Amino acid sequence: MPRPDLSETDRQRVLTVTAPTVDFSKAEAFEQMQGGAGTVVKRVNADIFSHPAANLSFEGRQEFMVGNGVFRKDWVSSPASTLASDGLGPLFNARSCQACHVKDGRGTVPGLDPEDKSEAMALLIRFALPSGAPDPVYGRQLQPFAVTGLAGEGRLRIAYSPVNIELAGGETVVLQRPDYTIDALGYGPLDPNVRLSARLAPPMLGLGLLEAIHPQDILKNIDTPQTRRDAVSGRPNWVTDPESGQKVLGRFGWKADQPSVKRQSAEAFFMDMGLSTPLREDPYGDCTAQQAPCRTLPHGVQKEQGDHEVPGNLIDFVTVYSSNLALPQRREVSSPKVLAGKKLFYEANCIACHVPKYVTRRDAARSEHQFQLIWPYTDMLLHDMGEGLADEDGKETLQREWRTPPLWGIGLTKTVNPNATWLHDGRARTLLEAILWHGGEAQAARDRVVAMSPEDRANLIQFLESL
């Protein structure tokens, strides 16, 4: 079905410009501007992920800066003299959004460095029974921190076991398989059938542009020449929009279970910091009825401040901020090694899931996101990624499925956070390790990378590092 927001002439233009290239002798037109007109051309440093989109209006930049302040703000427990900043917890993972999304990039996994004794903040642990229900005592998520006078829920411990992978050309890569346990439980034992699932805070780049991709452009990724080649069978995750009550396409989160940037933001305030919003109204967050001491403590809802700890206008500011963090301009797009690596990326059929480019909706909600050629390298669908990456959260059908993460900005990951790692639980210390964990529908593409010569693999990684 053709996109209703486009004329027939525009539809043909979009089909032409978004078709996978077959010419790897030079960079494609506008390939450097991976975030469309919002792409920023800035000196590369640790703040490269934190700039507003270049095409934001003056008013948009004002909203962005206010949202930035809320995103970075440390929340405190109630009661406090700072009524606009209290309501934290009583159980929580972090005091601010920025604490998990380091400089708007990936979070940090605790314990990768043996000397690191810090508690988990950016690496969340979800709880689920085989039915998908939360743990009856601990709820949906482990919260290791608590306000004064209350016990945290427990401490995450991670042990890694080696997995040796032999590559063509005589190379060997040692992967690390994580095993999670929780000790110092504050409220008795977990349900014996509960499953643990780790989720690392992802980068914040380009979220508004991803929301502006037309649903039909996402759905058409289900059946393409690339997916048919390797029997790739991505599927959409249809979720209920709590504001409209309608079934809509899930776009955000590792399981594509959130429909919008606003909803994802509200969920993070609620689950990670125990803060109520108009979309999640319980001021006690993930405290369950079985955690009675938690639900007797003061909360931050003050009638003179409104009915929520994070009022609707603050959620709106955070949404503007999260929707308009700019993509940096790509680097070395015309380098012979980058172009060679790009060709290998296409030939390995990585683009069956990591779809390179889109043109966003003409009728996107914000003008800066309208009709932009963008290069996120994702199909926005769920895929079976094999037993090696199998999850324990939720029903059996979801355990092996993950949303294809966008690749834009991936080459600057460690510039922003030197301790950052990859995949949904941060187990991959390098981009090559991340590729080698691929299985299931991605097995054939992964095996082609294994069979490459060392020089070809190096060029492939150099292409990814240019994104």
Side-chain angles (χ1 to χ4, degrees):
M1 182 183 298
R3 278 174 47 176
D5 63 314
L6 300 178
S7 67
E8 181 58 33
T9 299
D10 281 343
R11 281 197 287 270
Q12 293 305 316
R13 289 172 57 205
V14 167
L15 287 173
T16 299
V17 78
T18 58
T21 186
V22 294
D23 181 4
F24 301 98
S25 65
K26 61 183 184 300
E28 296 175 70
F30 308 111
E31 191 171 4
Q32 278 186 299
M33 306 298 284
Q34 57 184 341
T39 305
V40 293
V41 183
K42 298 283 187 180
R43 183 167 62 90
V44 172
N45 58 27
D47 295 319
I48 191 61
F49 287 175
S50 298
H51 299 289
N55 61 344
L56 259 183
S57 65
F58 178 77
E59 293 78 10
R61 285 174 179 266
Q62 288 181 309
E63 294 176 293
F64 180 93
M65 296 309 296
V66 175
N68 183 24
V70 180
F71 194 83
R72 294 172 181 271
K73 177 166 72 168
D74 284 333
W75 294 81
V76 298
S77 58
S78 299
S81 58
T82 53
L83 294 182
S85 297
D86 71 342
L88 179 71
L91 297 167
F92 58 95
N93 291 87
R95 292 179 178 272
S96 70
C97 306
Q98 188 75 17
C100 291
H101 301 276
V102 178
K103 289 185 174 292
D104 303 301
R106 280 175 171 77
T108 302
V109 175
L112 284 177
D113 178 352
E115 300 301 315
D116 179 11
K117 305 301 182 184
S118 63
E119 297 286 356
M121 281 195 296
L123 185 69
L124 307 176
I125 298 296
R126 296 285 176 85
F127 297 134
L129 299 176
S131 64
D135 183 89
V137 174
Y138 289 88
R140 180 62 71 190
Q141 185 168 297
L142 173 70
Q143 277 120 2
F145 304 111
V147 299
T148 301
L150 187 69
E153 290 189 323
R155 291 184 307 222
L156 174 64
R157 296 291 179 256
I158 313 173
Y160 292 98
S161 55
V163 179
N164 294 333
I165 305 294
E166 303 294 331
L167 308 179
E171 295 181 350
T172 300
V173 174
V174 181
L175 307 180
Q176 52 178 16
R177 184 188 303 278
D179 181 62
Y180 303 104
T181 56
I182 299 172
D183 61 21
L185 288 163
Y187 301 87
L190 289 161
D191 187 287
N193 296 313
V194 79
R195 298 163 169 169
L196 310 184
S197 173
R199 309 284 176 85
L200 185 63
M204 302 289 295
L205 296 175
L207 300 184
L209 293 169
L210 296 176
E211 190 169 345
I213 297 172
H214 199 284
Q216 291 182 10
D217 284 350
I218 295 173
L219 296 175
K220 76 180 183 182
N221 291 327
I222 295 171
D223 184 24
T224 68
Q226 291 77 32
T227 60
R228 291 192 292 272
R229 174 184 170 189
D230 288 329
V232 172
S233 56
R235 71 174 184 87
N237 191 15
W238 295 101
V239 299
T240 301
D241 183 338
E243 294 184 278
S244 68
Q246 302 296 311
K247 286 289 186 182
V248 295
L249 196 61
R251 296 172 186 255
F252 301 106
W254 288 105
K255 299 288 188 180
D257 53 3
Q258 296 299 334
S260 66
V261 178
K262 182 176 182 179
R263 179 66 186 182
Q264 178 72 21
S265 300
E267 191 70 12
F269 274 116
F270 180 81
M271 292 296 298
D272 304 343
M273 291 179 280
L275 294 165
S276 61
T277 70
L279 296 180
R280 294 298 301 265
E281 296 193 299
D282 187 345
Y284 290 107
D286 198 36
C287 291
T288 70
Q290 303 300 313
Q291 295 169 318
C294 180
R295 300 194 72 88
T296 62
L297 293 173
H299 55 67
V301 176
Q302 309 287 339
K303 285 302 179 183
E304 62 269 28
Q305 299 291 321
D307 295 328
H308 308 98
E309 292 161 319
V310 184
N313 65 326
L314 292 192
I315 280 287
D316 290 340
F317 284 129
V318 169
T319 301
V320 171
Y321 176 75
S322 301
S323 297
N324 287 287
L325 284 161
L327 272 301
Q329 185 180 47
R330 272 193 60 196
R331 301 147 316 282
E332 299 183 338
V333 293
S334 298
S335 159
K337 290 187 175 181
V338 168
L339 290 170
K342 179 181 175 181
K343 185 172 186 286
L344 291 161
F345 186 85
Y346 278 59
E347 289 176 344
N349 204 28
C350 301
I351 64 169
C353 300
H354 291 285
V355 175
K357 50 190 169 173
Y358 299 85
V359 172
T360 59
R361 305 175 66 130
R362 265 204 187 280
D363 57 354
R366 294 188 62 95
S367 60
E368 63 269 17
H369 301 148
Q370 292 172 357
F371 211 53
Q372 298 293 311
L373 173 61
I374 61 173
W375 306 71
Y377 288 89
T378 175
D379 62 2
M380 304 288 283
L381 299 173
L382 293 173
H383 291 276
D384 179 349
M385 293 300 293
E387 194 59 36
L389 291 177
D391 189 38
E392 291 190 349
D393 184 24
K395 298 179 181 179
E396 299 290 339
T397 53
L398 282 171
Q399 288 184 20
R400 294 160 59 110
E401 291 183 318
W402 299 97
R403 186 199 70 155
T404 307
L407 298 183
W408 52 10
I410 199 169
L412 295 173
T413 297
K414 285 187 175 291
T415 299
V416 172
N417 178 6
N419 296 315
T421 49
W422 290 276
L423 295 181
H424 68 277
D425 54 8
R427 69 176 69 184
R429 295 160 294 185
T430 67
L431 292 176
L432 181 57
E433 285 189 20
I435 293 169
L436 295 176
W437 274 112
H438 284 48
E441 296 172 38
Q443 185 71 43
R446 176 259 189 203
D447 289 348
R448 293 182 189 112
V449 175
V450 169
M452 289 177 185
S453 69
E455 180 182 3
D456 281 349
R457 276 194 299 273
N459 288 340
L460 175 66
I461 297 303
Q462 194 156 338
F463 163 68
L464 293 174
E465 290 174 345
S466 77
L467 297 178

